[in-house]
Amino acid sequence: MSNYSPRLPLTISDSNGYENNQTIVSVIQQNLKMILLTSPGERIMDPNFGVGMKRFLFEQNNASTYSVIRARIKKQVKQYMGFLEIHDILFSTEENNDNISANQLLVTIRFSINNTGAIMAFSVAI
């Protein structure tokens, strides 16, 4: 059994001390989540890290806002996770997805690890 990194939030495990990410994909998904949810200036010694998705909570729900979010995600992934190739960034709201509650935005990133053919997806709701 491989242990690549601690799984966040930290939870106690009888066998490893803390629960761990067991696959590279789970590490990548956790790191993407950190990039999306961390606000710029929040990480010590790296004030430019993070997209800061929560800052967009009260912005207009339109293509212009999506464009800003898309650009920030691409810039952050290129800088901090350059081994990923982003294929698409999709936005879902209650208007186009019945499984999303009112005033919620679901961001889905379709990506692949460079030099591999497998396309994966990761979603986060704010």
PDB file of all heavy atoms in Angstrom, residues 40-68:
ATOM      1  N   PRO A  40      -5.694  34.263  -2.550  1.00  0.00           N
ATOM      2  CA  PRO A  40      -4.380  34.892  -2.666  1.00  0.00           C
ATOM      3  C   PRO A  40      -4.059  35.674  -1.394  1.00  0.00           C
ATOM      4  O   PRO A  40      -4.904  36.385  -0.852  1.00  0.00           O
ATOM      5  CB  PRO A  40      -4.534  35.823  -3.873  1.00  0.00           C
ATOM      6  CG  PRO A  40      -5.611  35.197  -4.691  1.00  0.00           C
ATOM      7  CD  PRO A  40      -6.560  34.605  -3.684  1.00  0.00           C
ATOM      8  N   GLY A  41      -2.839  35.503  -0.907  1.00  0.00           N
ATOM      9  CA  GLY A  41      -2.417  36.140   0.326  1.00  0.00           C
ATOM     10  C   GLY A  41      -2.613  35.277   1.555  1.00  0.00           C
ATOM     11  O   GLY A  41      -2.103  35.577   2.631  1.00  0.00           O
ATOM     12  N   GLU A  42      -3.340  34.182   1.428  1.00  0.00           N
ATOM     13  CA  GLU A  42      -3.627  33.318   2.569  1.00  0.00           C
ATOM     14  C   GLU A  42      -2.452  32.404   2.911  1.00  0.00           C
ATOM     15  O   GLU A  42      -2.227  32.077   4.073  1.00  0.00           O
ATOM     16  CB  GLU A  42      -4.865  32.475   2.247  1.00  0.00           C
ATOM     17  CG  GLU A  42      -5.372  31.642   3.379  1.00  0.00           C
ATOM     18  CD  GLU A  42      -6.649  30.900   3.022  1.00  0.00           C
ATOM     19  OE1 GLU A  42      -7.268  31.190   1.981  1.00  0.00           O
ATOM     20  OE2 GLU A  42      -7.021  30.008   3.798  1.00  0.00           O
ATOM     21  N   ARG A  43      -1.697  31.985   1.919  1.00  0.00           N
ATOM     22  CA  ARG A  43      -0.573  31.075   2.147  1.00  0.00           C
ATOM     23  C   ARG A  43       0.669  31.887   2.503  1.00  0.00           C
ATOM     24  O   ARG A  43       1.092  32.764   1.766  1.00  0.00           O
ATOM     25  CB  ARG A  43      -0.311  30.225   0.919  1.00  0.00           C
ATOM     26  CG  ARG A  43       0.809  29.220   1.172  1.00  0.00           C
ATOM     27  CD  ARG A  43       0.917  28.219   0.103  1.00  0.00           C
ATOM     28  NE  ARG A  43      -0.029  27.136   0.368  1.00  0.00           N
ATOM     29  CZ  ARG A  43      -0.036  25.996  -0.285  1.00  0.00           C
ATOM     30  NH1 ARG A  43       0.809  25.783  -1.256  1.00  0.00           N
ATOM     31  NH2 ARG A  43      -0.908  25.070   0.002  1.00  0.00           N
ATOM     32  N   ILE A  44       1.260  31.556   3.620  1.00  0.00           N
ATOM     33  CA  ILE A  44       2.459  32.247   4.094  1.00  0.00           C
ATOM     34  C   ILE A  44       3.600  32.016   3.111  1.00  0.00           C
ATOM     35  O   ILE A  44       3.805  30.916   2.620  1.00  0.00           O
ATOM     36  CB  ILE A  44       2.834  31.756   5.510  1.00  0.00           C
ATOM     37  CG1 ILE A  44       1.728  32.122   6.487  1.00  0.00           C
ATOM     38  CG2 ILE A  44       4.168  32.342   5.956  1.00  0.00           C
ATOM     39  CD1 ILE A  44       1.893  31.556   7.863  1.00  0.00           C
ATOM     40  N   MET A  45       4.350  33.062   2.813  1.00  0.00           N
ATOM     41  CA  MET A  45       5.538  33.047   1.946  1.00  0.00           C
ATOM     42  C   MET A  45       5.206  32.883   0.465  1.00  0.00           C
ATOM     43  O   MET A  45       6.101  32.803  -0.347  1.00  0.00           O
ATOM     44  CB  MET A  45       6.538  31.956   2.369  1.00  0.00           C
ATOM     45  CG  MET A  45       7.022  32.068   3.795  1.00  0.00           C
ATOM     46  SD  MET A  45       7.953  33.558   4.100  1.00  0.00           S
ATOM     47  CE  MET A  45       9.440  33.218   3.232  1.00  0.00           C
ATOM     48  N   ASP A  46       3.933  32.801   0.111  1.00  0.00           N
ATOM     49  CA  ASP A  46       3.550  32.720  -1.297  1.00  0.00           C
ATOM     50  C   ASP A  46       2.222  33.457  -1.490  1.00  0.00           C
ATOM     51  O   ASP A  46       1.168  32.847  -1.616  1.00  0.00           O
ATOM     52  CB  ASP A  46       3.429  31.262  -1.748  1.00  0.00           C
ATOM     53  CG  ASP A  46       3.367  31.121  -3.258  1.00  0.00           C
ATOM     54  OD1 ASP A  46       3.276  32.161  -3.953  1.00  0.00           O
ATOM     55  OD2 ASP A  46       3.403  29.984  -3.749  1.00  0.00           O
ATOM     56  N   PRO A  47       2.276  34.798  -1.509  1.00  0.00           N
ATOM     57  CA  PRO A  47       1.041  35.580  -1.552  1.00  0.00           C
ATOM     58  C   PRO A  47       0.256  35.457  -2.859  1.00  0.00           C
ATOM     59  O   PRO A  47      -0.903  35.855  -2.916  1.00  0.00           O
ATOM     60  CB  PRO A  47       1.526  37.016  -1.351  1.00  0.00           C
ATOM     61  CG  PRO A  47       2.937  37.002  -1.807  1.00  0.00           C
ATOM     62  CD  PRO A  47       3.468  35.624  -1.483  1.00  0.00           C
ATOM     63  N   ASN A  48       0.846  34.893  -3.895  1.00  0.00           N
ATOM     64  CA  ASN A  48       0.156  34.768  -5.176  1.00  0.00           C
ATOM     65  C   ASN A  48      -0.556  33.430  -5.342  1.00  0.00           C
ATOM     66  O   ASN A  48      -1.249  33.223  -6.333  1.00  0.00           O
ATOM     67  CB  ASN A  48       1.142  34.956  -6.328  1.00  0.00           C
ATOM     68  CG  ASN A  48       1.734  36.342  -6.305  1.00  0.00           C
ATOM     69  OD1 ASN A  48       1.029  37.323  -6.080  1.00  0.00           O
ATOM     70  ND2 ASN A  48       3.030  36.440  -6.505  1.00  0.00           N
ATOM     71  N   PHE A  49      -0.377  32.511  -4.390  1.00  0.00           N
ATOM     72  CA  PHE A  49      -0.967  31.179  -4.498  1.00  0.00           C
ATOM     73  C   PHE A  49      -2.473  31.243  -4.298  1.00  0.00           C
ATOM     74  O   PHE A  49      -2.966  31.877  -3.376  1.00  0.00           O
ATOM     75  CB  PHE A  49      -0.353  30.235  -3.454  1.00  0.00           C
ATOM     76  CG  PHE A  49      -0.908  28.841  -3.505  1.00  0.00           C
ATOM     77  CD1 PHE A  49      -0.359  27.905  -4.359  1.00  0.00           C
ATOM     78  CD2 PHE A  49      -1.974  28.469  -2.710  1.00  0.00           C
ATOM     79  CE1 PHE A  49      -0.868  26.613  -4.418  1.00  0.00           C
ATOM     80  CE2 PHE A  49      -2.477  27.190  -2.748  1.00  0.00           C
ATOM     81  CZ  PHE A  49      -1.925  26.261  -3.612  1.00  0.00           C
ATOM     82  N   GLY A  50      -3.206  30.582  -5.165  1.00  0.00           N
ATOM     83  CA  GLY A  50      -4.631  30.381  -4.976  1.00  0.00           C
ATOM     84  C   GLY A  50      -5.511  31.171  -5.920  1.00  0.00           C
ATOM     85  O   GLY A  50      -5.177  32.280  -6.339  1.00  0.00           O
ATOM     86  N   VAL A  51      -6.634  30.562  -6.254  1.00  0.00           N
ATOM     87  CA  VAL A  51      -7.642  31.198  -7.104  1.00  0.00           C
ATOM     88  C   VAL A  51      -8.566  32.065  -6.255  1.00  0.00           C
ATOM     89  O   VAL A  51      -8.981  33.133  -6.679  1.00  0.00           O
ATOM     90  CB  VAL A  51      -8.457  30.130  -7.871  1.00  0.00           C
ATOM     91  CG1 VAL A  51      -9.630  30.742  -8.610  1.00  0.00           C
ATOM     92  CG2 VAL A  51      -7.550  29.380  -8.832  1.00  0.00           C
ATOM     93  N   GLY A  52      -8.891  31.606  -5.058  1.00  0.00           N
ATOM     94  CA  GLY A  52      -9.791  32.355  -4.195  1.00  0.00           C
ATOM     95  C   GLY A  52     -11.234  32.292  -4.660  1.00  0.00           C
ATOM     96  O   GLY A  52     -11.890  33.314  -4.827  1.00  0.00           O
ATOM     97  N   MET A  53     -11.738  31.083  -4.870  1.00  0.00           N
ATOM     98  CA  MET A  53     -13.098  30.906  -5.395  1.00  0.00           C
ATOM     99  C   MET A  53     -14.152  31.610  -4.539  1.00  0.00           C
ATOM    100  O   MET A  53     -15.138  32.109  -5.064  1.00  0.00           O
ATOM    101  CB  MET A  53     -13.431  29.424  -5.506  1.00  0.00           C
ATOM    102  CG  MET A  53     -12.659  28.678  -6.569  1.00  0.00           C
ATOM    103  SD  MET A  53     -13.057  29.211  -8.225  1.00  0.00           S
ATOM    104  CE  MET A  53     -14.747  28.683  -8.347  1.00  0.00           C
ATOM    105  N   LYS A  54     -13.944  31.676  -3.237  1.00  0.00           N
ATOM    106  CA  LYS A  54     -14.954  32.273  -2.360  1.00  0.00           C
ATOM    107  C   LYS A  54     -15.133  33.765  -2.633  1.00  0.00           C
ATOM    108  O   LYS A  54     -16.190  34.311  -2.357  1.00  0.00           O
ATOM    109  CB  LYS A  54     -14.597  32.026  -0.906  1.00  0.00           C
ATOM    110  CG  LYS A  54     -14.744  30.574  -0.526  1.00  0.00           C
ATOM    111  CD  LYS A  54     -14.398  30.319   0.910  1.00  0.00           C
ATOM    112  CE  LYS A  54     -14.489  28.831   1.187  1.00  0.00           C
ATOM    113  NZ  LYS A  54     -14.104  28.506   2.554  1.00  0.00           N
ATOM    114  N   ARG A  55     -14.135  34.418  -3.210  1.00  0.00           N
ATOM    115  CA  ARG A  55     -14.277  35.843  -3.522  1.00  0.00           C
ATOM    116  C   ARG A  55     -15.307  36.072  -4.628  1.00  0.00           C
ATOM    117  O   ARG A  55     -15.765  37.181  -4.818  1.00  0.00           O
ATOM    118  CB  ARG A  55     -12.937  36.455  -3.906  1.00  0.00           C
ATOM    119  CG  ARG A  55     -12.518  36.091  -5.317  1.00  0.00           C
ATOM    120  CD  ARG A  55     -11.384  36.873  -5.883  1.00  0.00           C
ATOM    121  NE  ARG A  55     -10.264  36.925  -4.979  1.00  0.00           N
ATOM    122  CZ  ARG A  55      -9.111  37.463  -5.266  1.00  0.00           C
ATOM    123  NH1 ARG A  55      -8.927  38.002  -6.432  1.00  0.00           N
ATOM    124  NH2 ARG A  55      -8.134  37.482  -4.414  1.00  0.00           N
ATOM    125  N   PHE A  56     -15.649  35.027  -5.355  1.00  0.00           N
ATOM    126  CA  PHE A  56     -16.616  35.150  -6.451  1.00  0.00           C
ATOM    127  C   PHE A  56     -18.056  34.825  -6.031  1.00  0.00           C
ATOM    128  O   PHE A  56     -18.955  34.829  -6.862  1.00  0.00           O
ATOM    129  CB  PHE A  56     -16.207  34.236  -7.617  1.00  0.00           C
ATOM    130  CG  PHE A  56     -14.890  34.615  -8.221  1.00  0.00           C
ATOM    131  CD1 PHE A  56     -13.737  33.920  -7.909  1.00  0.00           C
ATOM    132  CD2 PHE A  56     -14.801  35.685  -9.097  1.00  0.00           C
ATOM    133  CE1 PHE A  56     -12.517  34.267  -8.457  1.00  0.00           C
ATOM    134  CE2 PHE A  56     -13.585  36.054  -9.654  1.00  0.00           C
ATOM    135  CZ  PHE A  56     -12.442  35.343  -9.332  1.00  0.00           C
ATOM    136  N   LEU A  57     -18.263  34.563  -4.738  1.00  0.00           N
ATOM    137  CA  LEU A  57     -19.588  34.164  -4.263  1.00  0.00           C
ATOM    138  C   LEU A  57     -20.670  35.190  -4.581  1.00  0.00           C
ATOM    139  O   LEU A  57     -21.797  34.831  -4.901  1.00  0.00           O
ATOM    140  CB  LEU A  57     -19.565  33.918  -2.758  1.00  0.00           C
ATOM    141  CG  LEU A  57     -19.000  32.583  -2.311  1.00  0.00           C
ATOM    142  CD1 LEU A  57     -18.889  32.531  -0.802  1.00  0.00           C
ATOM    143  CD2 LEU A  57     -19.838  31.433  -2.815  1.00  0.00           C
ATOM    144  N   PHE A  58     -20.352  36.460  -4.507  1.00  0.00           N
ATOM    145  CA  PHE A  58     -21.370  37.489  -4.696  1.00  0.00           C
ATOM    146  C   PHE A  58     -21.191  38.252  -6.005  1.00  0.00           C
ATOM    147  O   PHE A  58     -21.751  39.321  -6.184  1.00  0.00           O
ATOM    148  CB  PHE A  58     -21.373  38.440  -3.494  1.00  0.00           C
ATOM    149  CG  PHE A  58     -21.727  37.732  -2.223  1.00  0.00           C
ATOM    150  CD1 PHE A  58     -20.747  37.413  -1.309  1.00  0.00           C
ATOM    151  CD2 PHE A  58     -23.038  37.340  -1.971  1.00  0.00           C
ATOM    152  CE1 PHE A  58     -21.072  36.728  -0.139  1.00  0.00           C
ATOM    153  CE2 PHE A  58     -23.362  36.663  -0.814  1.00  0.00           C
ATOM    154  CZ  PHE A  58     -22.375  36.352   0.111  1.00  0.00           C
ATOM    155  N   GLU A  59     -20.431  37.681  -6.923  1.00  0.00           N
ATOM    156  CA  GLU A  59     -20.283  38.266  -8.254  1.00  0.00           C
ATOM    157  C   GLU A  59     -21.464  37.841  -9.129  1.00  0.00           C
ATOM    158  O   GLU A  59     -22.181  36.895  -8.817  1.00  0.00           O
ATOM    159  CB  GLU A  59     -18.972  37.807  -8.893  1.00  0.00           C
ATOM    160  CG  GLU A  59     -17.733  38.304  -8.177  1.00  0.00           C
ATOM    161  CD  GLU A  59     -17.579  39.803  -8.241  1.00  0.00           C
ATOM    162  OE1 GLU A  59     -17.949  40.408  -9.270  1.00  0.00           O
ATOM    163  OE2 GLU A  59     -17.081  40.376  -7.257  1.00  0.00           O
ATOM    164  N   GLN A  60     -21.626  38.518 -10.239  1.00  0.00           N
ATOM    165  CA  GLN A  60     -22.685  38.171 -11.173  1.00  0.00           C
ATOM    166  C   GLN A  60     -22.474  36.761 -11.716  1.00  0.00           C
ATOM    167  O   GLN A  60     -21.349  36.360 -11.981  1.00  0.00           O
ATOM    168  CB  GLN A  60     -22.727  39.170 -12.337  1.00  0.00           C
ATOM    169  CG  GLN A  60     -23.121  40.562 -11.927  1.00  0.00           C
ATOM    170  CD  GLN A  60     -24.541  40.615 -11.412  1.00  0.00           C
ATOM    171  OE1 GLN A  60     -25.447  40.031 -12.001  1.00  0.00           O
ATOM    172  NE2 GLN A  60     -24.748  41.299 -10.305  1.00  0.00           N
ATOM    173  N   ASN A  61     -23.547  36.052 -11.880  1.00  0.00           N
ATOM    174  CA  ASN A  61     -23.509  34.690 -12.406  1.00  0.00           C
ATOM    175  C   ASN A  61     -23.632  34.765 -13.932  1.00  0.00           C
ATOM    176  O   ASN A  61     -24.691  34.544 -14.497  1.00  0.00           O
ATOM    177  CB  ASN A  61     -24.655  33.879 -11.798  1.00  0.00           C
ATOM    178  CG  ASN A  61     -24.569  32.426 -12.143  1.00  0.00           C
ATOM    179  OD1 ASN A  61     -23.568  31.970 -12.676  1.00  0.00           O
ATOM    180  ND2 ASN A  61     -25.627  31.692 -11.855  1.00  0.00           N
ATOM    181  N   ASN A  62     -22.493  35.108 -14.585  1.00  0.00           N
ATOM    182  CA  ASN A  62     -22.539  35.282 -16.037  1.00  0.00           C
ATOM    183  C   ASN A  62     -21.206  34.888 -16.676  1.00  0.00           C
ATOM    184  O   ASN A  62     -20.248  34.554 -15.984  1.00  0.00           O
ATOM    185  CB  ASN A  62     -22.911  36.726 -16.389  1.00  0.00           C
ATOM    186  CG  ASN A  62     -21.942  37.747 -15.832  1.00  0.00           C
ATOM    187  OD1 ASN A  62     -20.768  37.469 -15.626  1.00  0.00           O
ATOM    188  ND2 ASN A  62     -22.439  38.943 -15.583  1.00  0.00           N
ATOM    189  N   ALA A  63     -21.164  34.967 -17.990  1.00  0.00           N
ATOM    190  CA  ALA A  63     -19.985  34.538 -18.750  1.00  0.00           C
ATOM    191  C   ALA A  63     -18.747  35.358 -18.412  1.00  0.00           C
ATOM    192  O   ALA A  63     -17.635  34.843 -18.432  1.00  0.00           O
ATOM    193  CB  ALA A  63     -20.278  34.609 -20.248  1.00  0.00           C
ATOM    194  N   SER A  64     -18.917  36.621 -18.096  1.00  0.00           N
ATOM    195  CA  SER A  64     -17.782  37.475 -17.751  1.00  0.00           C
ATOM    196  C   SER A  64     -17.091  36.988 -16.472  1.00  0.00           C
ATOM    197  O   SER A  64     -15.861  36.905 -16.411  1.00  0.00           O
ATOM    198  CB  SER A  64     -18.255  38.920 -17.581  1.00  0.00           C
ATOM    199  OG  SER A  64     -17.200  39.737 -17.171  1.00  0.00           O
ATOM    200  N   THR A  65     -17.870  36.660 -15.467  1.00  0.00           N
ATOM    201  CA  THR A  65     -17.311  36.126 -14.216  1.00  0.00           C
ATOM    202  C   THR A  65     -16.646  34.780 -14.461  1.00  0.00           C
ATOM    203  O   THR A  65     -15.555  34.513 -13.957  1.00  0.00           O
ATOM    204  CB  THR A  65     -18.410  35.992 -13.147  1.00  0.00           C
ATOM    205  OG1 THR A  65     -18.999  37.275 -12.933  1.00  0.00           O
ATOM    206  CG2 THR A  65     -17.854  35.465 -11.838  1.00  0.00           C
ATOM    207  N   TYR A  66     -17.286  33.930 -15.262  1.00  0.00           N
ATOM    208  CA  TYR A  66     -16.711  32.624 -15.580  1.00  0.00           C
ATOM    209  C   TYR A  66     -15.371  32.786 -16.293  1.00  0.00           C
ATOM    210  O   TYR A  66     -14.437  32.016 -16.070  1.00  0.00           O
ATOM    211  CB  TYR A  66     -17.654  31.802 -16.451  1.00  0.00           C
ATOM    212  CG  TYR A  66     -18.987  31.475 -15.813  1.00  0.00           C
ATOM    213  CD1 TYR A  66     -20.054  31.082 -16.599  1.00  0.00           C
ATOM    214  CD2 TYR A  66     -19.186  31.566 -14.439  1.00  0.00           C
ATOM    215  CE1 TYR A  66     -21.283  30.779 -16.034  1.00  0.00           C
ATOM    216  CE2 TYR A  66     -20.410  31.271 -13.881  1.00  0.00           C
ATOM    217  CZ  TYR A  66     -21.456  30.874 -14.672  1.00  0.00           C
ATOM    218  OH  TYR A  66     -22.665  30.572 -14.111  1.00  0.00           O
ATOM    219  N   SER A  67     -15.274  33.772 -17.144  1.00  0.00           N
ATOM    220  CA  SER A  67     -14.035  34.022 -17.876  1.00  0.00           C
ATOM    221  C   SER A  67     -12.899  34.394 -16.917  1.00  0.00           C
ATOM    222  O   SER A  67     -11.766  33.926 -17.069  1.00  0.00           O
ATOM    223  CB  SER A  67     -14.256  35.136 -18.901  1.00  0.00           C
ATOM    224  OG  SER A  67     -13.073  35.422 -19.580  1.00  0.00           O
ATOM    225  N   VAL A  68     -13.192  35.226 -15.929  1.00  0.00           N
ATOM    226  CA  VAL A  68     -12.184  35.607 -14.936  1.00  0.00           C
ATOM    227  C   VAL A  68     -11.756  34.388 -14.128  1.00  0.00           C
ATOM    228  O   VAL A  68     -10.560  34.152 -13.906  1.00  0.00           O
ATOM    229  CB  VAL A  68     -12.722  36.722 -14.012  1.00  0.00           C
ATOM    230  CG1 VAL A  68     -11.772  36.990 -12.858  1.00  0.00           C
ATOM    231  CG2 VAL A  68     -12.976  37.992 -14.807  1.00  0.00           C
TER     232      VAL A  68
END
